[in-house]
Amino acid sequence: MTPDTGADCSVMPAATSTAPQGLLAWEHTRFNRITADLALPEATVCALHCATRSVTVELPLTHDDGSTAVLRGYRVQHSHTLGPAKGGTRYRPGVNLDDVTALARLMTWKTALHRLPFGGAKGGIDCDPTVLSARERHELTRCYLLAILPVIGSQVDVLAPDVGTDAQIMAWMVRTAAEAGVPDPAIVTGKPVLLGGSRFRAASTGVGVAHVAQRAWEHLGHRLDGARITIEGFGAVGSHAALELADRGARVVGLSDISGAITNTAGLDPRAVQDWVASGRDLASYPDADRFEGSVLTLECDIAIPAALEGTITDEVADGMQAQLVVEGANGPTVPSAVEFSTGSTKPGSAWRPRRSRPGATPR
């Protein structure tokens, strides 16, 4: 375990080999712009920018075939100012310290904006959980939890599921911590109900996205009944958002996941699609729909919901979007240059209206 011993308070490092890339660079851009608009003192900017703790751990894993590998895991606690740090743990190929740092900062902003008594944190392991057996995932989870246990806890840093993790992973964490002398189920959220988890936890984020979509759409002077919805990502967030929006009268006309995108202008049945995927078949092969090549967010619709991964709304995708409203269900799905907010400002939000034109873009 190697804690970060210091942080450079310069908000945007020089263009060197250590310059931030991807999500962290985008977060830097937004952070710089907003703190400059607010004219915050340099000391405040530095305090907001720097993480309280960054931890990198190396995790030995014995595969079922007897081979061994050493995987790398991370945990970043960005802030404890408002309370214990809080954030998910993702198992995904390519997870790195930059991305985890950016996601931890985003958690800080989200909890603060909602006046919740938590700071921001994030963690993850650079692995592909889809190719690991249940035993391998259990062993990896156990190693990771033991490695970071000295710096987490219900009053310090609370873990949660994220991409590639679920209630079972959280249950293994609770058990591992208890076996190590920390019998506190509150060390994680998103655990099974039998271990003290919340009944509504699995659906909560997706239902929240649906609620924001309805409120924002009504704020623009429309009724949700019959509104056309496209959703990128039919996982833990996107599937529940689709189900909830359909129940509220909206028409889901496009869905996508890692297998591809489907569309039906008459409307898809999210429950039928969910049953199809749960049976082990690809979403893209769902029979009562047409295949769509490209980003499902560019389909003709009223509300577009990115609920997959970060950075999926690029300039190119934004130029092709036809939605009147975008509701972000993923962490950082929109690159900074692709956003123009309805007020004409550059302040971040979870719901925004895509620009109708862009310098150099082909007129629609």
Side-chain angles (χ1 to χ4, degrees):
M1 182 171 63
T2 56
D4 186 3
T5 57
D8 183 356
C9 285
S10 60
V11 176
M12 191 61 172
T16 68
S17 59
T18 59
Q21 303 295 322
L23 182 59
L24 184 58
W26 304 330
E27 196 279 332
H28 270 309
T29 298
R30 293 188 178 99
F31 181 86
N32 289 346
R33 186 174 60 200
I34 294 165
T35 53
D37 287 346
L38 295 173
L40 297 178
E42 184 177 352
T44 302
V45 172
C46 183
L48 290 172
H49 175 260
C50 300
T52 300
R53 178 185 286 122
S54 299
V55 176
T56 299
V57 294
E58 294 183 339
L59 310 168
L61 174 64
T62 301
H63 291 290
D64 291 342
D65 63 4
S67 63
T68 60
V70 178
L71 305 179
R72 185 160 290 179
Y74 309 93
R75 189 69 186 175
V76 174
Q77 297 161 4
H78 176 253
S79 174
H80 294 96
T81 301
L82 298 181
K86 177 79 173 70
T89 303
R90 58 176 52 186
Y91 291 3
R92 181 189 172 207
V95 165
N96 58 62
L97 187 59
D98 277 5
D99 286 352
V100 172
T101 299
L103 292 166
R105 290 178 186 167
L106 290 174
M107 280 299 299
T108 295
W109 314 144
K110 287 189 286 186
T111 56
L113 287 169
H114 287 279
R115 300 185 179 182
L116 299 174
F118 296 104
K122 208 72 173 185
I125 302 174
D126 181 4
C127 69
D128 184 353
T130 65
V131 301
L132 298 177
S133 68
R135 189 205 63 79
E136 290 169 335
R137 292 195 303 275
H138 185 189
E139 180 181 336
L140 184 61
T141 299
R142 185 175 181 278
C143 288
Y144 176 72
L145 194 282
L146 289 174
I148 65 172
L149 189 57
V151 296
I152 65 171
S154 58
Q155 300 303 312
V156 181
D157 180 8
V158 180
L159 281 63
D162 199 88
V163 177
T165 57
D166 55 18
Q168 179 60 73
I169 298 292
M170 297 301 108
W172 288 336
M173 289 184 174
V174 170
R175 179 175 179 177
T176 299
E179 292 173 344
V182 186
D184 183 5
I187 202 169
V188 305
T189 58
K191 52 191 172 286
V193 174
L194 288 174
L195 294 179
S198 302
R199 294 185 183 277
F200 191 57
R201 173 63 176 82
S204 61
T205 305
V207 172
V209 168
H211 187 67
V212 169
Q214 180 172 6
R215 293 295 299 272
W217 192 237
E218 291 173 347
H219 179 73
L220 294 176
H222 307 293
R223 291 175 53 85
L224 186 65
D225 189 47
R228 299 164 300 170
I229 311 290
T230 62
I231 301 177
E232 177 188 60
F234 196 65
V237 176
S239 62
H240 287 289
L243 291 167
E244 184 69 16
L245 286 164
D247 287 345
R248 297 187 184 201
R251 179 160 43 109
V252 179
V253 298
L255 294 169
S256 72
D257 68 4
I258 193 170
S259 69
I262 57 174
T263 181
N264 186 328
T265 56
L268 296 160
D269 180 349
R271 283 185 174 78
V273 177
Q274 186 179 53
D275 291 343
W276 177 267
V277 173
S279 70
R281 292 171 286 192
D282 287 343
L283 177 144
S285 64
Y286 181 69
D288 297 328
D290 298 320
R291 285 291 301 271
F292 180 76
E293 299 298 329
S295 171
V296 73
L297 300 175
T298 61
L299 283 169
E300 185 175 346
C301 65
D302 299 307
I303 303 172
I305 300 176
L309 295 170
E310 58 273 3
T312 60
I313 300 184
T314 61
D315 283 2
E316 181 181 2
V317 170
D319 284 336
M321 292 177 69
Q322 304 176 66
Q324 296 184 54
L325 176 70
V326 178
V327 180
E328 297 184 349
N331 286 307
T334 312
V335 303
S337 58
V339 179
E340 181 177 86
F341 298 94
S342 58
T343 61
S345 73
T346 55
K347 296 180 180 179
S350 60
W352 51 277
R353 302 181 71 179
R355 62 183 70 185
R356 291 294 113 207
S357 63
R358 180 194 316 281
T362 302
R364 299 189 60 82

